[in-house]
C-alpha cells in the first residue's frame, strides 16, 4: 500500500494542439471563430470599472443569465451560466446522471463525454452511429440512466432534425436528456423551443464558437427551473464564484450585438459551403456539415499523411486516431483567405 493507491487516476480529455511555432500559422484545429468578438465587447471591457475586480462577482452570473434569458425568451431562473460549456456539461453530468443504469451517447461524438463519465464513475454505453454517421433514434428507446446528444454532432458536423431530438426526449421522460448545441448556430435546429414542453430536457450552448469568445469561457444551459436549481446546487458545492467580472461584462455585450452575430456567422457558413465544394473537387468525401468545421476523408491519401503534411506548412487541422474515424480530418472553417490558402496547399500536395 502506498499513497499512490489513494489517488484518483483519470485519463484526461486531450484538447486540440495550441501550436508553438515560429511565423504565421493557420489554426483550423479547435473550431474557434475566425473573426474577433463584437466591437461592443471591446467597449464593455474598456469601460469596466477596475474597482469591480476587488469584489466577488455575482454568484449566479445574474446579469449574463438575464441577458441570455431575454435573448432566447426565457426567465433568468431557467438559465445556468458556466465557465464554457465544458464546465456546464461537467456539472450537468454530476447533477443529472446519478443513476446506476448506464447513460447513453454515440460512439462517435464529443470525446469529453466518456472522460466526465469515468471521472464521476457514471456507467455508460457508447451507442454506435449508423454507417453514415447518423443517429438511429430507436437506439435511444431502451432503458437508460440519461442521454447526451451533441446536435449538430462533433466531429462529424452532422445535424439531427429537431423531430428526432423530440422523439428521444419524449421517449425518455424518466431521465434527463442533455442536448449539447455547441455548433447549433451554424445550421442546426435548436431544441430550446422544446424546453418548456419537456421537463427532462436540458439544452447546453456556448459563446466559444458562434459568439467568438472561446477565450472568455462562457457556456450556458437552459432547462426548467427545477433542473436549473439542482444544477446550481451542485455548482455551489464546488465553486460559488465561477464567472469573473470581465466575462460577465463581455458576455452581456456579445449577446446583445445581434447584428454582428448574424453577419459573421453567415460569413462562416458561406465560407464553409465554398470550402466544401473545393474539397470535393480535390477528391475528398465531405460529410454534410451544419457546423463551423467539416469532416472530410480523401479517396486516395490517408488522413494522417495529409494532417502531417499540412503541419509542415504551418496549417493545423484535427486528426483523431480513433476507431471508424481514423481516415478523416476535422477542418475548422477559418476566414475565406485562410481557406483559400488551405485549398492551394492541398492542391499542390495532392496533384
Ligand atoms: N461541446 C462540444 C460538442 C464541443 O465541440 C466543445 C468544444 N470543444 C464544447 C462542448 C466545449 O466548448 P466550450 O467549453 O469552449 O464551451
Amino acid at each position: 500500500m502506498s499513497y499512490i493507491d489513494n489517488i484518483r487516476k483519470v485519463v484526461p480529455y486531450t484538447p486540440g494542439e495550441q501550436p508553438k511555432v515560429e511565423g504565421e500559422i493557420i489554426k483550423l484545429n479547435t473550431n474557434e471563430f475566425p473573426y474577433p468578438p463584437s466591437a461592443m465587447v471591446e467597449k464593455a471591457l474598456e469601460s469596466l470599472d477596475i474597482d469591480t475586480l476587488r469584489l466577488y462577482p455575482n454568484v449566479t452570473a445574474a446579469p449574463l443569465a438575464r441577458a441570455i434569458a431575454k435573448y432566447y425568451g426565457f426567465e433568468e431562473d431557467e438559465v445556468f451560466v458556466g465557465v464554457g460549456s465544458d464546465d456546464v456539461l461537467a456539472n450537468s453530468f454530476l447533477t443529472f446522471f446519478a443513476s446506476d443504469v448506464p447513460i447513453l451517447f454515440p460512439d462517435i461524438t464529443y470525446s469529453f463525454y466518456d472522460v466526465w463519465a469515468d471521472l464521476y464513475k457514471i456507467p455508460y454505453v457508447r451507442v454506435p452511429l449508423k454507417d453514415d454517421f447518423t443517429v438511429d433514434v430507436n437506439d435511444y428507446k431502451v432503458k437508460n440512466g440519461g442521454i447526451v446528444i451533441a446536435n449538430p454532432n462533433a466531429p462529424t458536423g452532422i445535424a439531427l432534425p429537431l423531430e428526432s431530438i423530440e422523439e428521444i426526449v419524449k421517449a425518455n421522460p424518466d431521465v434527463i436528456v442533455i442536448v449539447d448545441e455547441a455548433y447549433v448556430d451554424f445550421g442546426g435546429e435548436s431544441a430550446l423551443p422544446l424546453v418548456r414542453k419537456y421537463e427532462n430536457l436540458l439544452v447546453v450552448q456556448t459563446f466559444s464558437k458562434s459568439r467568438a469568445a472561446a477565450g472568455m469561457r462562457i457556456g450556458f444551459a437552459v432547462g426548467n427551473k427545477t433542473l436549473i436549481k439542482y444544477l446550481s446546487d451542485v455548482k455551489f458545492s464546488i465553486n460559488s464564484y465561477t464567472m469573473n467580472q470581465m466575462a460577465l461584462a463581455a458576455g452581456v455585450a456579445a449577446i446583445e450585438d445581434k447584428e454582428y452575430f448574424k453577419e459573421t456567422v453567415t460569413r462562416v457558413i458561406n465560407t464553409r459551403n465554398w470550402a466544401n465544394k473545393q474539397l470535393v473537387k480535390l477528391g475528398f468525401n465531405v460529410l454534410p456539415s451544419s457546423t463551423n468545421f467539416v469532416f472530410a476523408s480523401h479517396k486516395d491519401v490517408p488522413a494522417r499523411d495529409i494532417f502531417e503534411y499540412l503541419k509542415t506548412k504551418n496549417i493545423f487541422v484535427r486528426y483523431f486516431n480513433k476507431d471508424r474515424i481514423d481516415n478523416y480530418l476535422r477542418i475548422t472553417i477559418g476566414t475565406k483567405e485562410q481557406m483559400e490558402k488551405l485549398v492551394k496547399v492541398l492542391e499542390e500536395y495532392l496533384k
Side-chain angles (χ1 to χ4, degrees):
M1 181 79 184
S2 90
Y3 68 87
I4 297 289
D5 298 316
N6 291 326
I7 292 174
R8 186 185 300 274
K9 296 162 198 85
V10 291
V11 181
Y13 171 75
T14 322
E17 186 181 350
Q18 297 298 341
K20 289 179 200 69
V21 293
E22 296 289 316
E24 202 191 319
I25 65 159
I26 297 184
K27 191 170 176 302
L28 308 174
N29 68 339
T30 49
N31 297 342
E32 287 138 332
F33 203 62
Y35 305 110
S38 139
M40 277 171 64
V41 170
E42 194 173 2
K43 220 159 140 201
L45 288 175
E46 273 169 8
S47 53
L48 186 78
D49 178 0
I50 193 75
D51 193 51
T52 58
L53 298 188
R54 187 176 57 79
L55 304 169
Y56 281 110
N58 185 294
V59 287
T60 59
L64 184 50
R66 216 174 291 135
I68 293 168
K70 186 171 166 218
Y71 183 87
Y72 289 106
F74 288 92
E75 301 288 330
E76 186 185 323
D77 52 6
E78 292 172 295
V79 177
F80 172 92
V81 177
V83 187
S85 54
D86 281 341
D87 179 48
V88 177
L89 288 163
N91 276 292
S92 300
F93 270 58
L94 190 55
T95 309
F96 300 119
F97 299 152
S99 159
D100 295 332
V101 184
I103 63 165
L104 308 177
F105 49 84
D107 62 338
I108 297 160
T109 190
Y110 187 29
S111 44
F112 224 138
Y113 299 156
D114 48 356
V115 174
W116 289 314
D118 286 333
L119 173 65
Y120 297 134
K121 303 191 192 313
I122 300 163
Y124 60 93
V125 172
R126 297 164 73 243
V127 182
L129 291 175
K130 290 191 274 189
D131 288 343
D132 63 358
F133 295 131
T134 59
V135 167
D136 185 342
V137 169
N138 292 318
D139 291 342
Y140 295 85
K141 294 180 180 172
V142 297
K143 190 171 160 59
N144 67 77
I147 293 170
V148 196
I149 299 277
N151 192 39
N153 198 9
T156 63
I158 296 174
L160 193 60
L162 188 57
E163 302 88 75
S164 304
I165 291 287
E166 181 162 12
E167 212 179 313
I168 293 173
V169 177
K170 204 172 175 175
N172 290 280
D174 299 335
V175 299
I176 304 299
V177 178
I178 299 176
V179 183
D180 175 358
E181 296 187 346
Y183 300 102
V184 75
D185 295 324
F186 300 102
E189 274 178 285
S190 177
L192 283 173
L194 301 180
V195 162
R196 291 220 174 127
K197 195 168 169 192
Y198 298 98
E199 285 177 8
N200 60 323
L201 170 65
L202 190 81
V203 176
V204 177
Q205 291 194 10
T206 178
F207 280 36
S208 295
K209 318 291 175 183
S210 55
R211 296 190 190 274
M216 210 31 101
R217 310 306 300 130
I218 299 171
F220 64 94
V222 181
N224 78 72
K225 293 171 191 189
T226 312
L227 294 192
I228 298 302
K229 169 76 168 62
Y230 282 121
L231 185 54
S232 303
D233 287 348
V234 165
K235 173 208 129 143
F236 288 133
S237 308
I238 300 172
N239 180 1
S240 308
Y241 304 108
T242 48
M243 303 307 295
N244 70 67
Q245 305 280 30
M246 289 166 289
L248 293 180
V252 170
I255 197 115
E256 283 178 352
D257 196 347
K258 289 183 195 173
E259 280 309 305
Y260 183 79
F261 166 75
K262 256 196 239 154
E263 186 212 310
T264 50
V265 166
T266 304
R267 240 192 280 169
V268 171
I269 292 171
N270 290 340
T271 306
R272 175 188 74 210
N273 296 344
W274 176 85
N276 200 323
K277 281 191 204 128
Q278 305 307 311
L279 290 169
V280 169
K281 273 191 213 158
L282 289 171
F284 284 92
N285 169 41
V286 186
L287 299 189
S289 169
S290 297
T291 60
N292 68 334
F293 58 84
V294 288
F295 205 49
S297 171
H298 195 268
K299 63 180 170 49
D300 304 318
V301 187
R304 181 173 227 146
D305 294 355
I306 304 173
F307 166 74
E308 295 294 350
Y309 177 76
L310 289 175
K311 245 197 212 187
T312 68
K313 298 287 170 189
N314 278 355
I315 299 177
F316 293 81
V317 299
R318 190 92 193 255
Y319 172 73
F320 299 91
N321 191 10
K322 284 191 173 168
D323 225 23
R324 294 184 76 188
I325 55 169
D326 59 359
N327 200 25
Y328 281 83
L329 295 174
R330 193 196 68 189
I331 306 169
T332 304
I333 303 303
T335 61
K336 185 76 186 291
E337 295 68 36
Q338 289 178 318
M339 301 315 278
E340 281 167 355
K341 179 84 193 290
L342 168 77
V343 168
K344 199 159 155 254
V345 169
L346 284 172
E347 244 163 26
E348 284 162 12
Y349 176 62
L350 295 167
K351 82 177 168 211

